[in-house]
Amino acid sequence: MRHTDASQHSVTHDHVTHDHSALLQGEHYRITPLTERVVRLEWSPSGRFEDRPTTFAIRRDLPAPDVRVEATDTGLRVVTGHYVLDYDRGPFSANGLSVAVRGGISNYHSVWRYGQDLSLPADRQVRYEGRPPRALDGNLGGAARTLDCADGVIPLEPGVNSELGYAVIDDSGSMVFDADGHLAPRDAEPGYQDLYVFAAGHDHVDAVEDFFAISGPQPLLPRYALGNWWSRYHRYSDTEYLRLMDRFDAEKVPLSVAVVDMDWHLTDIDPKYGAGWTGYTWNRELFDDPEAFQAELHRRGLKVTLNVHPADGVRAFEDAYEPMCRAMGREPNGDPIDFDVTDRAFMDAYFNVLHRGLEDLGTDFWWIDWQSGPYSKRDGMDPLWVLNHEHFTDSDAHTDRGLTFSRYAGPGSHRYPVGFSGDAIITWESLAFQPRMTAAGANIGYGWWSHDIGGHMGGFKDDELETRWVEFGVFSPIMRLHSSNSRFSGKEPWKVAEPGRSAIVEHLRLRHRMLPYLNSMNLRAHRDGRSIVEPVYFETHSFDAYRYLDEYLFGSQLLVAPIIRPADPVVRRASADVLLPEGRWTDVVTGHSYQGGRAIRMYRGISSIPVLLRAGGFLPLVAEGESLDVRNLFPALDVQVAGGASGSFDLDEERQDGSWVRTRFALDAEAGELRVDAPEGMGARRGEWRFTLLGLDLGAPDAGADLQVEGGELLGVRTGRGRLLLRVRADQDSLVIRSGLLTTAGQPDLTDEVEELLHGARIGFGLKDRIFGLVESHGAGALASVIAQGAHPTGHAAETYEYDRPTAELVEALTELLG
């Protein structure tokens, strides 16, 4: 790997190329413009600088940015299109080193100064609806090492985006990679500084793009990781586990990953060996034939991961103790083999003997549940970092596509997916924080979070909470149901009362139906550096975008707003506060469309959360009733299409040979044309297609009567709940559907929507009739009259009065439909 320093970058002054390396590097400092938005700043008391790759910065040999460097009366100035750096060439200080952000947001706040105190006293800290207090640098947060024991909001480590336009990654103490690709302490001298200043302004996507350029891309996940995972800290036997898988199959709830928590190994051990958290020996009382057990899970289409806590090393009772001793050239005298990431011989044996032997029995990847913090036998060596890197590298070398499951260790951790966020407490507060944490991860490139969906421990039975948690989980990066070993806390859907049970089952089925979309976003994440979940401020930079943190972009086509609070007792629906980016957005469940560029409170019953498809957007799903094996090419598709604007989407699919093929969907809303271009010669894509068209004006009795199909045959047309459903048989590689209907935009029947809302509301029947009558006679114009209903007492007895006028929440719910 080639590394760059400042002298490798061409610099210009007054449009004439000059060699200004003498300005960019002095005896104790080195300034390296890496991109037009990122500059590296080093200070070394001894004059030794670091060119080895670090856990964060593995690539510094980037194309030279357009930079102007000039000497000033006080030092030097570096100018790009995005920042102006001033430096006095002395030890870094707030007075002597600054980076001012250029562009539309540049003001006195948007100047980073080294070492400035941006903290606020407690009495001046401001929280935004449960958000942790933010320092004056406006950093939008990144990730955290763990949610263990957290009940709600916790501080996040910084990301590369900020409301003020600048952010800093301090890489001074991170580990480095040696010549063999192994991690080692940097052993930097006291006082050494290694900083990366990001000055992207509000170009948040560009900031993350630069982050990936320096830190490397997100790997492609194996497709099975995108399905539903079953996980529980429970003392299963092989018979019990397989019986549970049978039940899921009987309920037609698909799973793709079987997680076996720590009780797969011996945990009740002789106290002379220590505690039972660490273990590598299958418990034969529970699993009498581990190889046959895992083979049976594989036969059912499941991949297997086992939980390990490696902190206590390998002790004499383990099956692998003697082979490990031989591999390390030591006598098997009963002394434990310490877990030691600083010992290369141990690490080699750890993989080549200990884990390879277990993988030969059928284990596909590992859940690394490291529990001893950042400490090892050598200063500067963080065991979590070493485990993440080495486990992923080993997995990648021995499987078609690497995967590990472990905690976040710091900037650069995105190279080792999947991230385990830790043991969540079962409360609404914990659920409320997970969407915010997931979206913020995009600011540090950490896109593949896996949360304990449903919560791990504590709490009490709350079917509404569990249902809402699963609905969020289905629209999160990794969907892993999880719970503790309490007899009563399992997340099996059939343990939830109706209507939550049906909602959970349908959402778990939906997760697997979304695999075509999810896997396209998997490739997008790897290729383009876009996390599957991103904050809404990645698309809209209004002031409000930094306050609406409970919603997020889910891939390139969807906006999702999880429900994170209980239902209102009167409306009998729960709400989410949603900021809509510009354009038109249509809920894929209700079919209701909303004009963007505004904030709105959306109310939903237990069966759904707001999942909005952008106008001209496409959501490819496996067609209902089609069997799906996550290992094979996707079968017949039902493509959800939102009208109201033109747009396109590329569906990327992976064949079993590892090659990728692309199908392009395009809607021309002006011409009234829907086009599908399948990969040339891809016969598997010919056959029946299903399209669900949303957000169109279906009010006319003959809506869609002019449908024409080129490249295939129209098999059927059906309307319902504000959507048009088409069945088309394609017989060519290109399919074109034409209709004037595709040029329109409309809503589902307004009276149907209002009637459904009123039917469930806990208000007087008289009030329901009055509101419905107003809507029937005035349509959307009825809203003002409905609001006025609250100002006029009905004359009924006091005990019923509260049911005879609309509450503020009911008015909000009606405003969503009528406004």
Side-chain angles (χ1 to χ4, degrees):
M1 180 178 291
R2 182 168 58 90
H3 305 287
T4 186
D5 60 23
S7 63
Q8 290 176 277
H9 291 267
S10 63
V11 292
T12 59
H13 186 199
D14 295 331
H15 308 290
V16 179
T17 300
H18 297 279
D19 178 9
H20 285 294
S21 57
L23 286 176
L24 291 171
Q25 182 168 340
E27 181 180 358
H28 298 289
Y29 72 86
R30 184 167 66 172
I31 310 295
T32 310
L34 292 171
T35 75
E36 289 201 0
R37 290 170 288 265
V38 183
V39 59
R40 184 188 187 196
L41 311 173
E42 292 174 276
W43 174 265
S44 169
S46 68
R48 289 187 296 111
F49 302 106
E50 183 61 81
D51 287 322
R52 292 172 295 179
T54 67
T55 50
F56 159 58
I58 65 171
R59 300 191 308 200
R60 305 189 192 97
D61 52 341
L62 304 176
D66 185 8
V67 179
R68 186 176 82 246
V69 180
E70 59 190 24
T72 67
D73 292 341
T74 57
L76 65 93
R77 170 168 288 183
V78 178
V79 182
T80 75
H82 292 270
Y83 67 83
V84 176
L85 178 149
D86 284 297
Y87 176 45
D88 65 2
R89 305 189 209 180
F92 292 172
S93 68
N95 292 322
L97 177 59
S98 66
V99 176
V101 180
R102 302 182 70 184
I105 70 163
S106 183
N107 56 51
Y108 73 95
H109 290 299
S110 298
V111 179
W112 172 81
R113 297 182 182 278
Y114 174 84
Q116 62 184 329
D117 183 5
L118 292 174
S119 60
L120 280 173
D123 61 350
R124 292 184 58 201
Q125 292 178 353
V126 177
R127 291 177 180 266
Y128 297 106
E129 297 183 1
R131 185 177 181 176
R134 186 187 303 157
L136 290 179
D137 64 359
N139 195 281
L140 292 163
R145 196 165 182 120
T146 183
L147 287 176
D148 286 355
C149 301
D151 187 9
V153 173
I154 64 168
L156 297 176
E157 296 178 23
V160 299
N161 282 315
S162 163
E163 287 186 56
L164 299 185
Y166 64 78
V168 180
I169 289 181
D170 187 343
D171 204 36
S172 306
S174 62
M175 289 182 288
V176 297
F177 289 95
D178 64 22
D180 296 322
H182 300 302
L183 284 168
R186 182 182 296 207
D187 294 331
E189 62 188 311
Y192 173 74
Q193 293 289 304
D194 188 4
L195 309 175
Y196 292 75
V197 180
F198 287 71
H202 285 170
D203 298 328
H204 302 311
V205 173
D206 291 340
V208 176
E209 179 182 348
D210 284 353
F211 171 87
F212 283 125
I214 298 165
S215 200
Q218 301 175 87
L220 272 169
L221 268 62
R223 194 166 75 173
Y224 65 78
L226 303 174
N228 296 316
W229 299 27
W230 174 256
S231 173
R232 187 182 180 191
Y233 175 35
H234 178 72
R235 196 174 175 83
Y236 285 112
S237 67
D238 49 9
T239 302
E240 184 183 7
Y241 204 101
L242 293 174
R243 191 163 53 237
L244 177 63
M245 297 299 103
D246 287 338
R247 178 68 186 273
F248 272 105
D249 187 58
E251 298 280 345
K252 295 183 171 51
V253 175
L255 299 172
S256 63
V257 175
V259 181
V260 188
D261 213 319
M262 62 174 289
D263 283 298
W264 68 270
H265 65 73
L266 296 174
T267 57
D268 296 326
I269 62 174
D270 191 322
K272 71 180 182 180
Y273 295 115
W277 285 93
T278 296
Y280 301 97
T281 303
W282 278 92
N283 185 337
R284 301 287 174 152
E285 292 183 3
L286 299 176
F287 302 89
D288 62 350
D289 190 341
E291 186 171 13
F293 166 67
Q294 293 179 97
E296 177 59 22
L297 290 172
H298 289 152
R299 187 189 69 77
R300 296 163 185 248
L302 295 159
K303 295 294 185 179
V304 184
T305 182
L306 304 181
N307 174 281
V308 288
H309 293 78
D312 288 333
V314 183
R315 291 161 290 179
F317 69 87
E318 303 279 13
D319 289 346
Y321 177 70
E322 289 192 15
M324 283 288 291
C325 286
R326 288 195 297 271
M328 296 183 66
R330 54 179 284 180
E331 289 295 320
N333 58 7
D335 291 340
I337 302 173
D338 291 340
F339 179 83
D340 186 0
V341 296
T342 69
D343 183 345
R344 193 66 246 163
F346 170 78
M347 293 303 297
D348 289 342
Y350 174 81
F351 288 104
N352 296 329
V353 176
L354 192 60
H355 284 79
R356 200 70 65 245
L358 291 165
E359 289 164 3
D360 288 343
L361 298 179
T363 304
D364 297 294
F365 66 101
W366 297 94
W367 177 3
I368 310 305
D369 212 347
W370 177 254
Q371 79 276 26
S372 293
Y375 308 109
S376 68
K377 293 186 176 182
R378 185 175 175 187
D379 287 344
M381 285 288 279
D382 184 341
L384 178 61
W385 258 117
V386 177
L387 285 169
N388 288 354
H389 172 70
E390 302 251 352
H391 264 283
F392 185 86
T393 302
D394 184 76
S395 173
D396 201 40
H398 291 91
T399 62
D400 292 336
R401 188 167 295 159
L403 190 69
T404 191
F405 182 32
S406 185
R407 286 174 170 83
Y408 176 80
S413 293
H414 65 276
R415 299 191 299 271
Y416 316 113
V418 165
F420 167 46
S421 66
D423 298 336
I425 307 297
I426 304 174
T427 62
W428 284 98
E429 289 76 14
S430 286
L431 167 59
F433 184 61
Q434 285 187 4
R436 296 185 176 199
M437 179 184 188
T438 307
N443 292 321
I444 199 68
Y446 202 68
W448 293 112
W449 273 121
S450 170
H451 302 297
D452 286 353
I453 297 301
H456 172 67
M457 58 189 179
F460 53 87
K461 179 143 180 84
D462 186 333
D463 287 350
E464 183 185 8
L465 171 60
E466 183 170 338
T467 304
R468 293 308 191 187
W469 217 320
V470 171
E471 290 169 346
F472 156 65
V474 165
F475 291 95
S476 69
I478 300 295
M479 171 58 204
R480 179 178 54 88
L481 294 167
H482 185 76
S483 60
S484 74
N485 59 356
S486 168
R487 183 182 189 90
F488 303 99
S489 72
K491 299 306 187 300
E492 295 89 342
W494 48 89
K495 292 184 177 180
V496 175
E498 293 289 6
R501 172 178 171 166
S502 293
I504 289 174
V505 167
E506 287 306 311
H507 274 80
L508 293 174
R509 292 171 181 166
L510 175 61
R511 177 69 184 201
H512 277 234
R513 291 187 64 207
M514 280 198 297
L515 280 171
Y517 180 67
L518 295 170
N519 207 40
S520 287
M521 296 304 99
N522 181 21
L523 180 61
R524 174 179 180 254
H526 170 70
R527 181 193 60 210
D528 300 335
R530 301 295 299 268
S531 295
I532 189 170
V533 168
E534 294 178 335
V536 72
Y537 51 75
F538 272 40
E539 179 153 330
T540 178
H541 302 149
S542 69
F543 175 81
D544 282 341
Y546 301 106
R547 304 292 171 257
Y548 283 78
L549 303 177
D550 300 327
E551 61 177 319
Y552 49 80
L553 304 165
F554 190 66
S556 63
Q557 305 293 290
L558 296 174
L559 180 70
V560 175
I563 300 289
I564 57 172
R565 49 184 175 246
D568 175 73
V570 174
V571 179
R572 306 284 290 277
R573 294 183 178 187
S575 63
D577 293 321
V578 184
L579 178 68
L580 294 167
E582 293 293 339
R584 198 165 184 263
W585 297 85
T586 299
D587 191 299
V588 298
V589 175
T590 69
H592 194 95
S593 297
Y594 306 85
Q595 192 58 43
R598 63 188 175 115
I600 187 171
R601 178 164 287 180
M602 297 184 180
Y603 282 80
R604 296 292 181 274
I606 196 66
S607 62
S608 74
I609 60 176
V611 178
L612 308 171
L613 182 59
R614 67 173 71 246
F618 295 82
L619 175 61
L621 305 173
V622 174
E624 285 195 68
E626 294 285 339
S627 60
L628 172 64
D629 185 332
V630 297
R631 299 166 294 184
N632 298 329
L633 197 67
F634 299 120
L637 298 182
D638 176 1
V639 183
Q640 313 275 306
V641 187
S646 299
S648 64
F649 175 75
D650 291 332
L651 171 63
D652 293 301
E653 297 176 273
E654 190 176 13
R655 289 192 175 106
Q656 285 185 311
D657 64 4
S659 63
W660 288 79
V661 292
R662 171 170 290 178
T663 300
R664 164 152 285 201
F665 300 94
L667 174 64
D668 187 333
E670 292 185 2
E673 180 177 289
L674 173 61
R675 184 180 185 91
V676 183
D677 291 313
E680 186 175 350
M682 187 181 175
R685 264 293 160 258
R686 295 182 185 170
E688 183 174 321
W689 288 80
R690 304 174 201 179
F691 298 93
T692 300
L693 306 177
L694 306 166
L696 303 177
D697 184 1
L698 302 177
D702 60 346
D706 63 339
L707 279 164
Q708 297 178 344
V709 177
E710 179 184 309
E713 178 185 0
L714 183 63
L715 300 178
V717 181
R718 185 161 55 91
T719 59
R721 289 190 62 87
R723 61 199 69 211
L724 181 71
L725 297 96
L726 307 180
R727 290 174 49 241
V728 180
R729 184 176 63 243
D731 53 27
Q732 297 181 24
D733 290 327
S734 292
L735 178 69
V736 182
I737 300 171
R738 296 186 177 91
S739 172
L741 186 63
L742 296 174
T743 67
T744 69
Q747 296 284 20
D749 187 278
L750 190 62
T751 57
D752 287 347
E753 290 192 278
V754 173
E755 183 174 12
E756 185 177 344
L757 171 66
L758 294 175
H759 181 76
R762 189 171 176 264
I763 58 175
F765 293 116
L767 179 58
K768 290 185 180 185
D769 288 334
R770 290 196 301 277
I771 292 175
F772 189 74
L774 287 168
V775 173
E776 277 191 309
S777 58
H778 299 292
L783 184 59
S785 298
V786 170
I787 295 173
Q789 293 282 312
H792 301 288
T794 64
H796 287 270
E799 61 267 20
T800 63
Y801 175 74
E802 62 178 301
Y803 301 112
D804 287 322
R805 61 179 181 177
T807 63
E809 290 75 17
L810 180 60
V811 169
E812 286 177 339
L814 288 166
T815 301
E816 178 192 350
L817 302 178
L818 304 175

